[in-house]
Amino acid sequence: MAASGCPRVRLWRWRRSPLRRRSDLVEAWVVLAGWVFALVGALFAGLAAADAVTHSAKEQRAESHKVTAVLVKDADDPGPSRVTTDHLVWSTVRWTDPDGTAHTDDARVPPRTHAGSKVVVWTDRHGVVVNEPLSETEILLHAVAGGILAAGAAGSVVLGCTWVVRLGLERRRMDEWAAEWERMDTPWGWKTG
């Protein structure tokens, strides 16, 4: 029961009634289509985003490989601007590829590591130091998070568009009602409001 004591009529826009207007039925279809597109769009956007994250992470993993490098200078004094969130510090390292090509680059190493120490770094196929690739668990977590964010964004965009269309239909319905009230009041020569 509704608060006014009258029974609430569910799905009234879908039932035949002399009080139902064409705009009521259009609004019902717009809302239904909006929810269907929001759910389907969110599902596809989430799956596509999760797949893209997984593919990118696995591609990065395939192109990265470990190398053993030698620390060129001590990593004692990191300086406040060069410390990372995992408590590693930046320092210069040198390594040689299997084909004999020597490389020197900055890499994150444990603090207070002395020059000449061996450290493990990750490089890409061009010999540039990169971050350690994500583990399978991290890939899964990133894919799930990316999928959820993409699904939420896609669903929100569709529902936002549906809401804007409903506002337009509501404005049009109010204009129609105002015109009908104007026609009803005019024959008697007086206004109701």
Side-chain angles (χ1 to χ4, degrees):
M1 295 279 278
S4 64
C6 298
R8 185 177 204 144
V9 179
R10 297 194 184 275
L11 302 173
W12 66 271
R13 286 183 173 96
W14 297 100
R15 297 180 181 190
R16 291 195 181 274
S17 168
L19 298 177
R20 185 188 74 189
R21 298 171 183 265
R22 181 172 172 250
S23 62
D24 295 328
L25 188 59
V26 169
E27 183 178 353
W29 279 107
V30 165
V31 170
L32 178 64
W35 276 103
V36 168
F37 286 138
L39 292 173
V40 171
L43 176 68
F44 283 124
L47 290 174
D51 185 52
V53 168
T54 302
H55 178 71
S56 174
K58 288 188 177 184
E59 185 177 288
Q60 179 186 7
R61 175 187 269 185
E63 292 180 359
S64 301
H65 60 281
K66 283 186 196 181
V67 295
T68 302
V70 177
L71 201 58
V72 174
K73 62 180 184 174
D74 290 346
D76 293 281
D77 184 20
S81 65
R82 303 269 294 172
V83 176
T84 60
T85 57
D86 56 5
H87 304 292
L88 297 175
V89 296
W90 289 95
S91 190
T92 305
V93 295
R94 181 178 301 132
W95 70 97
T96 304
D97 280 343
D99 66 0
T101 307
H103 295 278
T104 303
D105 202 351
D106 285 342
R108 297 183 313 169
V109 298
R112 295 178 189 80
T113 306
H114 298 290
S117 300
K118 292 186 177 186
V119 293
V120 174
V121 296
W122 287 85
T123 63
D124 64 8
R125 61 183 171 177
H126 303 293
V128 177
V129 173
V130 295
N131 290 332
E132 181 178 350
L134 300 175
S135 68
E136 286 294 329
T137 304
E138 291 170 328
I139 291 172
L140 177 64
L141 289 174
H142 283 232
V144 168
I148 288 171
L149 287 173
S156 297
V157 167
V158 172
L159 290 177
C161 292
T162 302
W163 179 72
V164 168
V165 170
R166 281 191 70 194
L167 284 178
L169 291 172
E170 181 74 20
R171 181 176 294 143
R172 182 175 177 182
R173 184 170 39 245
M174 290 297 130
D175 291 344
E176 288 174 358
W177 283 359
E180 284 188 36
W181 276 112
E182 188 69 32
R183 281 195 304 271
M184 292 296 289
D185 287 347
T186 305
W188 294 294
W190 43 271
K191 304 280 185 196
T192 59

